[in-house]
Amino acid sequence: MTGTRRVIAAAFLLPALVLLGALVLYPIGYSVYRSFFDQAGTGFAGLDNYQALFTDATILTAVKNNAIWVVFAPTVATALGLIFAVLTERIRWGTAFKLIVFMPMAISMLAAGIIFRLVYDQAPERGVANAVAVSVHDTFTEPAGFPKARPLPVHPLEKGDGGAFVSKEPIRAGEPLLVPLVGVAPAKMPGDARPAEGAPTVSGDRDGNGNGDKISGTAWLDFTRGGGGKPNVVDPQELGLKGLTVEAVKDGEVIATATAGADGVFTLPASADGAQLRLPADNFREPYNGVDWLGPSLVTPGIIGSYVWMWAGFAMVLIAAGLAGLPRELLEAARVDGANEWQVFRRITVPMLAPVLAVVLVTLMINVLKVFDLVFIIAPGSSQDDANVLALQLYRSSFGTDADLGIGSAIAVLLLLLVIPVMLFNIRRIRKEGRR
């Protein structure tokens, strides 16, 4: 009977063992074997391929980025999942909130990569992240009025220091100040700008405060639609540069400041006589276009953010299931003994959820070691080397233009060696839980 049962058991296990050997053991064994051969696969390379893993700058970047992924992505996703699970436990619409947070799990990695490639787009009109960054920045810092404006060589202005423009000649009383600029698209002009007016030579006591005569000038867009017009002359169809800031500078110090009105006219005090007219660089600075999320320094944190967006819901659901199984009488007893909610969370809830948190953390650690899709889709070609990870480098080494299956196999073996300790920890933890 015993022998018969063993034969029957072996017969039932044989198909599974064949599949296991064909789909798991053989690929692993062949990858280890192939990693000891050169690019062509005909010459024995020894440990040269493994040596390249720790000497090649591109592969070292991938190893470093994988370490960043393993440390931060699972930790942040698990922490957010814990926070969401605890907070949604006490609100009436907690189920709806959990559904929304878990919904990204239904999206493929490819689709999520495309979504976040658009989210991180540099142009604020397309990229949500930069649209928010620009809105916040412009709330506290007023944008420049005329970022592309500049004088022509024939104009009475020349380039100064730091992006400013200065007059070629000092201000003289009795002479109107001309500030003609070009380079502003008519559609970008202020909506309430009016046709520019030539400033009077002497404005007199225009504000009625008894300070005496003032010096007037005109700042305008020296461009006529459809052609025509003369340079340095206010033509009837040319608009005033409303809001342009003008300064009078003497001996390096600003002695007066004025702002052009809707018709481009501005006024300086009589004390500006002999000073140099200056248009500050703040009039012309480029508009703030947000953060370079996909640049070399932020591309990896940005991609990790997209991963957390997808997997925080997974962590939340598992932790919420563990939270539902906690003995409520223990939590209530702690509150009766005078513990506040933070103490209950830190000293009772988290320790009792430790097995669940370990499951989530280990699962996500194994998952991030294999991350490929998000990095490949989100990182642009200019910064893909900076966002490189081992799974992506495995693909590039094995199937790129200079494919080297020896290097690719060595990377695959390295990934296997990195996953094994995490898997052993998980198996040991599962066995320990089973004995309880």
Side-chain angles (χ1 to χ4, degrees):
M1 290 294 293
T2 304
T4 304
R5 288 179 179 176
R6 287 178 179 175
V7 171
I8 294 175
F12 277 104
L13 288 176
L14 184 60
L17 293 175
V18 171
L19 288 176
L20 180 65
L23 300 180
V24 178
L25 298 180
Y26 173 75
I28 292 176
Y30 183 76
S31 296
V32 174
Y33 168 80
R34 184 64 179 83
S35 67
F36 292 106
F37 286 82
D38 59 11
Q39 183 175 5
T42 56
F44 184 74
L47 296 177
D48 291 350
N49 292 327
Y50 291 96
Q51 183 180 359
L53 300 184
F54 302 99
T55 56
D56 185 271
T58 304
I59 301 178
L60 283 176
T61 300
V63 173
K64 181 192 72 173
N65 286 338
N66 257 107
I68 295 173
W69 273 88
V70 169
V71 171
F72 290 101
T75 304
V76 175
T78 304
L80 284 177
L82 176 62
I83 293 171
F84 290 154
V86 171
L87 293 181
T88 55
E89 188 188 28
R90 298 192 170 203
I91 57 178
R92 183 177 301 174
W93 42 272
T95 303
F97 181 84
K98 290 177 182 177
L99 179 63
I100 294 172
V101 175
F102 188 75
M103 197 174 295
M105 282 293 299
I107 302 174
S108 68
M109 286 281 196
L110 175 63
I114 295 172
I115 290 171
F116 274 86
R117 181 68 180 265
L118 295 174
V119 167
Y120 292 138
D121 196 292
Q122 183 65 42
E125 60 271 17
R126 293 193 301 270
V128 175
N130 269 339
V132 173
V134 169
S135 299
V136 173
H137 177 273
D138 291 348
T139 300
F140 298 98
T141 303
E142 190 173 347
F146 310 100
K148 302 287 186 181
R150 66 189 185 280
L152 290 176
V154 296
H155 288 173
L157 298 170
E158 61 184 3
K159 195 170 183 61
D161 297 332
F165 294 103
V166 297
S167 60
K168 297 177 181 178
E169 301 293 336
I171 299 171
R172 296 300 177 191
E175 297 179 2
L177 303 176
L178 300 177
V179 184
L181 297 175
V182 295
V184 183
K188 298 293 184 180
M189 289 289 289
D192 54 350
R194 300 202 303 266
E197 296 183 5
T201 302
V202 178
S203 61
D205 191 9
R206 291 178 63 174
D207 57 5
N209 61 9
N211 289 335
D213 292 341
K214 293 179 171 58
I215 305 171
S216 291
T218 303
W220 80 100
L221 179 61
D222 196 8
F223 170 79
T224 303
R225 281 187 174 183
K230 297 180 179 179
N232 302 336
V233 176
V234 179
D235 296 303
Q237 297 181 6
E238 296 173 347
L239 298 177
L241 296 173
K242 180 185 178 182
L244 186 76
T245 302
V246 180
E247 297 175 343
V249 181
K250 271 186 180 179
D251 300 326
E253 294 184 3
V254 178
I255 62 172
T257 303
T259 302
D263 56 1
V265 176
F266 60 90
T267 305
L268 292 171
S271 60
D273 183 40
Q276 190 177 39
L277 188 71
R278 182 172 72 184
L279 306 181
D282 287 346
N283 289 311
F284 314 110
R285 68 176 182 269
E286 291 291 330
Y288 180 70
N289 286 322
V291 181
D292 188 9
W293 297 102
L294 299 181
S297 58
L298 291 178
V299 63
T300 294
I303 300 173
I304 290 176
S306 67
Y307 178 89
V308 170
W309 175 76
M310 287 193 67
W311 288 87
F314 167 81
M316 178 196 66
V317 170
L318 291 188
I319 295 171
L323 196 61
L326 294 184
R328 299 297 164 178
E329 60 274 10
L330 188 60
L331 302 178
E332 294 301 326
R335 294 187 180 101
V336 170
D337 288 341
N340 56 37
E341 292 301 321
W342 168 245
Q343 290 173 326
V344 171
F345 173 77
R346 184 167 61 92
R347 296 181 178 275
I348 298 178
T349 304
V350 173
M352 294 187 69
L353 285 175
V356 179
L357 295 176
V359 170
V360 174
L361 199 61
V362 170
T363 303
L364 294 182
M365 287 177 67
I366 295 174
N367 188 267
V368 298
L369 283 172
K370 303 180 295 181
V371 68
F372 165 80
D373 319 59
L374 291 177
V375 181
F376 185 72
I377 298 298
I378 296 177
S382 58
S383 58
Q384 197 168 86
D385 284 344
D386 300 286
N388 199 14
V389 291
L390 285 173
L392 177 59
Q393 185 58 39
L394 169 61
Y395 168 79
R396 294 167 69 178
S397 296
S398 302
F399 305 103
T401 54
D402 296 325
D404 187 338
L405 291 178
I407 296 289
S409 299
I411 296 174
V413 173
L414 176 62
L415 274 173
L416 177 64
L417 294 176
L418 292 175
V419 170
I420 285 176
V422 183
M423 293 177 60
L424 291 177
F425 171 80
N426 208 22
I427 293 172
R428 182 179 179 184
R429 185 199 55 77
I430 292 173
R431 288 179 176 175
K432 186 177 180 181
E433 290 293 320
R435 288 195 294 268
R436 290 180 180 179

